[in-house]
Amino acid sequence: MLLGGALGAACGDWVDYPLVVGRCDPSSRSADECPEYFFCCSDDPAALGGDEGEPLFSRERNDRGRFGMCVRTDELRSEALAEPPGCPIPCNPRWEPSRIEEVCGASKECCQTVELHEDDCVFDDAEGRWRAADAREALGSLDGEHGWNPTPHSTHQDPDLEACEAFAGGDRGSDRFRECVGHLTTAAERGFCMALGSGQQCPAEDPEYVDACEVMNE
């Protein structure tokens, strides 16, 4: 995982940080999903009808996603969302800088929360290289294209498409279902808005950092 150090010194296996202690599943009802006083916050900004539309996996639908981070929300103060459960604002590190500033606020960054895994990568014939699976593959699977199944991807937000089915009222043939699937991502497109200290940077932006897909291209 990436973010713990960016929040503290970076979430995860790199550096420990007292406000974020590791990955979790927001859809889980397990009492031990996160330590005491911590809440499992989704890191997915996806929304129907555009980025400012109806949230799919955050805010009031925080418990729909499969991936998030254990956060001590009572200590976030101004960094928290106004809506319950008071989690950090989710964002997409691949947004344009103007969009990140609009969502996160001035002088803040959008830091990717967890690393891609090798099984998140797909070979793009058009680009001739490995890249992170994204909405193109998710929608392709609905159209009967072979060679991709969301289930094996380690960081896929909705591997069984149950959350999107719920959004569509159980109708997998609806436009609403398809729109939801078109927003599904692996880890490269999920993060939290962060106010970094002097000299800090998001871990994935370190010039020496190479993600799992880029490793496969070497």
Side-chain angles (χ1 to χ4, degrees):
M1 284 180 266
L2 293 173
L3 189 56
L7 291 172
C11 252
D13 300 330
W14 289 18
V15 183
D16 187 26
Y17 181 68
L19 297 187
V20 179
V21 296
R23 282 174 57 167
C24 57
D25 179 353
S27 69
S28 174
R29 298 298 187 271
S30 173
D32 59 359
E33 186 70 19
C34 288
E36 187 177 10
Y37 306 120
F38 285 76
F39 188 87
C40 187
C41 293
S42 169
D43 58 359
D44 196 327
L48 292 180
D51 298 327
E52 297 180 351
E54 184 180 2
L56 295 175
F57 304 108
S58 61
R59 303 192 184 192
E60 66 268 24
R61 290 190 173 125
N62 185 83
D63 62 353
R64 289 288 179 88
R66 298 289 294 275
F67 285 94
M69 305 298 292
C70 292
V71 180
R72 185 153 184 165
T73 56
D74 62 346
E75 294 188 13
L76 287 178
R77 300 183 182 89
S78 63
E79 299 301 316
L81 289 169
E83 302 85 347
C87 289
I89 298 173
C91 56
N92 185 337
R94 294 186 174 180
W95 282 340
E96 293 294 328
S98 60
R99 178 60 181 153
I100 291 176
E101 182 173 347
E102 179 184 354
V103 171
C104 296
S107 302
K108 294 184 181 179
E109 302 291 336
C110 179
C111 292
Q112 183 176 327
T113 45
V114 298
E115 297 182 272
L116 289 166
H117 292 186
E118 187 173 295
D119 59 14
D120 292 322
C121 306
V122 295
F123 189 78
D124 190 311
D125 291 327
E127 297 181 11
R129 60 191 299 276
W130 293 90
R131 59 168 174 77
D134 58 25
R136 288 170 285 184
E137 284 69 47
L139 289 171
S141 69
L142 297 183
D143 295 332
E145 296 180 10
H146 300 290
W148 187 81
N149 183 327
T151 302
H153 296 297
S154 296
T155 67
H156 197 275
Q157 184 65 290
D158 189 15
D160 49 19
L161 305 183
E162 287 186 354
C164 283
E165 183 176 0
F167 285 117
D171 183 2
R172 291 198 174 209
S174 68
D175 290 341
R176 185 173 172 84
F177 175 75
R178 187 178 182 85
E179 183 179 1
C180 177
V181 172
H183 286 285
L184 297 179
T185 62
T186 47
E189 298 187 57
R190 298 201 299 271
F192 284 145
C193 295
M194 302 305 309
L196 303 181
S198 177
Q200 289 184 328
Q201 63 182 348
C202 298
E205 295 178 358
D206 187 315
E208 297 184 2
Y209 177 71
V210 182
D211 68 37
C213 301
E214 289 300 329
V215 168
M216 296 171 70
N217 288 318
E218 294 180 347

